[in-house]
Amino acid sequence: MTSARDSRFIQALRARVRGEVRESEPLARHSTYRIGGPASVLLPGSAEDVGLALALAAEQGTPWFALGLGSNLLLPDEGLDALVIRLGKGLDRCDDLGQGRWRLGAGLPQPLAARRSAEAGFSGLHRFVGVPGTVGGGVYMNAGCHGGDWAGIVRQVTVVDPSGRDAILARDQIGFAYRGSGLGRRIVLEAEVELMPSDPPAIQAEVAELFRWRQEETPFNQPCCGSVFTNPGGPGRGKAGGVRTAGQLIDAAGLKGARQGGVEISRQHANYFVNLGGGTAADVRALIALARSTVRERFGVRLETEVKIVRPDGSFIPADQD
Ligand SMILES: Cc1cc2nc3c(=O)[nH]c(=O)nc-3n(C[C@H](O)[C@H](O)[C@H](O)COP(=O)(O)OP(=O)(O)OC[C@H]3O[C@@H](n4cnc5c(N)ncnc54)[C@H](O)[C@@H]3O)c2cc1C
């Protein structure tokens, strides 16, 4: 097995791809938490680069990790001993195919896709205006909000498998679930979605209202990963009474404003933990453990993480573990 940090691996990768390869790149630059140590990072120049990098990694037995905007991840303070393939520019097409169909590159920011499709008079993507990830991360996570998710609009996705081969998967082959998919070790290159024609001024007014809500009700402009925990009763539970949301439970446990190192449980929205500056993954994990144990003691509810906690080898800590 060749480490992604090995200079021979970096050289071989640079010889194959058009995109940029950065050594010892701080992952904090690629995470909305602004947390994460160093790794070898490929910024692919095209979809082809992704397949070429995966083929090289397969030949050399080098672990790899797909990264979008890092808006749903807690990356390790030690960094990653894996090739980080950061999908962004170069895979950011946004093509209106007509009749409500759009082809979107995996690296396109969801808010941009939301605004462009709304300006053209289509609804469905518009709800993602305040969800700061990429299209690829949104599909992989089946991100959702305000009554909809990616599963509701995707027709098909183009993926590349770990050997570097492309495939097109129809919607029912994607294995969409609540905040997840069955894509496993495949990287999303692009997604084709089907949107509903809408009255342009009405849909743009809705976009403006959703964005206003994000800015006023959540710590939108502070480094964070959005919701730390999933809602115990599933999506949207708690709004009309009944089972409380994760945020309501953490708030009722008196934990708003609790602080560990540079990280605080937001005073504005208790399911958001914010990096006030100099925060570490260890700080966030300590607050996750605190919120989980306090809520369990007080209300008998076991919280599961929505944020994906990454180990230094690129694997994930299960959602029910600290
Ligand atoms: C302020 C804020 C608000 C948020 N609000 C919401 C919300 O309302 N609803 C919601 O669902 N989420 C929300 N999130 C979380 C996050 O934005 C979404 O989950 C988003 O879709 C993740 O996209 P990303 O590109 O950042 O993925 P990343 O965080 O980079 O990655 C997430 C997972 O997807 C994988 N991945 C990323 N790109 C690809 C790809 N191209 N192919 C295969 N795998 C890939 C990664 O390996 C990882 O497992 C919020 C986050 C923030 C910071």
Side-chain angles (χ1 to χ4, degrees):
M1 182 194 115
T2 312
S3 165
R5 293 183 164 130
D6 190 313
S7 59
R8 283 162 305 179
F9 178 81
I10 301 283
Q11 269 176 11
L13 184 61
R14 284 192 175 131
R16 284 202 194 182
V17 297
R18 276 203 298 131
E20 191 184 343
V21 182
R22 296 189 186 165
E23 289 176 81
S24 300
E25 168 82 347
L27 292 176
R29 288 188 189 150
H30 303 279
S31 125
T32 55
Y33 256 136
R34 303 281 169 262
I35 288 174
S40 302
V41 175
L42 167 66
L43 306 170
S46 64
E48 201 190 7
D49 273 359
V50 180
L52 292 170
L54 289 180
L56 178 67
E59 279 165 30
Q60 311 238 346
T62 305
W64 54 266
F65 187 91
L67 183 66
L69 198 75
S71 65
N72 202 51
L73 292 172
L74 182 60
L75 295 163
D77 296 322
E78 301 86 341
L80 279 178
D81 193 6
L83 172 66
V84 174
I85 303 176
R86 194 323 192 173
L87 292 102
K89 282 201 172 73
L91 283 105
D92 56 353
R93 69 195 298 172
C94 182
D95 301 337
D96 181 351
L97 305 177
Q99 302 194 324
R101 291 192 191 170
W102 291 66
R103 185 173 296 138
L104 311 168
L108 181 74
Q110 293 177 102
L112 208 56
R115 287 190 187 279
R116 289 211 185 138
S117 56
E119 277 161 19
F122 289 95
S123 68
L125 263 175
H126 69 287
R127 59 174 55 87
F128 295 109
V129 67
V131 182
T134 60
V135 164
V139 170
Y140 192 86
M141 291 297 303
N142 190 19
C145 53
H146 314 295
D149 57 19
W150 278 89
I153 53 172
V154 167
R155 277 178 54 81
Q156 62 179 43
V157 292
T158 306
V159 293
V160 55
D161 74 14
S163 68
R165 267 192 305 267
D166 286 10
I168 293 179
L169 302 180
R171 187 195 171 284
D172 58 5
Q173 297 175 295
I174 298 170
F176 280 123
Y178 174 58
R179 298 297 170 268
S181 68
L183 290 170
R185 295 293 288 159
R186 283 174 285 205
I187 295 186
V188 178
L189 297 176
E190 60 183 40
E192 197 179 305
V193 296
E194 187 153 19
L195 307 178
M196 293 286 291
S198 292
D199 175 44
I203 195 69
Q204 284 185 53
E206 203 179 319
V207 163
E209 173 55 21
L210 292 175
F211 196 66
R212 186 203 58 77
W213 180 84
R214 290 277 172 176
Q215 283 185 309
E216 288 175 13
E217 303 296 328
T218 68
F220 191 72
N221 290 321
Q222 283 176 286
C224 71
C225 73
S227 298
V228 172
F229 297 104
T230 50
N231 287 327
R237 291 300 296 268
K239 283 183 184 144
V243 182
R244 285 189 279 184
T245 61
Q248 287 165 341
L249 289 165
I250 299 167
D251 188 3
L255 290 175
K256 268 188 174 173
R259 193 164 167 181
Q260 170 71 40
V263 182
E264 185 180 84
I265 298 183
S266 168
R267 293 164 196 273
Q268 203 178 356
H269 191 309
N271 200 18
Y272 283 55
F273 296 5
V274 292
N275 181 0
L276 301 173
T280 62
D283 294 339
V284 178
R285 289 181 65 182
L287 284 178
I288 286 174
L290 173 71
R292 189 175 258 152
S293 62
T294 314
V295 165
R296 193 170 195 182
E297 273 163 32
R298 294 281 304 274
F299 308 111
V301 177
R302 176 99 189 144
L303 294 174
E304 296 202 350
T305 45
E306 179 163 330
V307 60
K308 298 176 78 165
I309 306 172
V310 186
R311 297 189 182 100
D313 67 359
S315 63
F316 296 104
I317 292 181
D320 60 354
Q321 287 174 28
D322 294 334

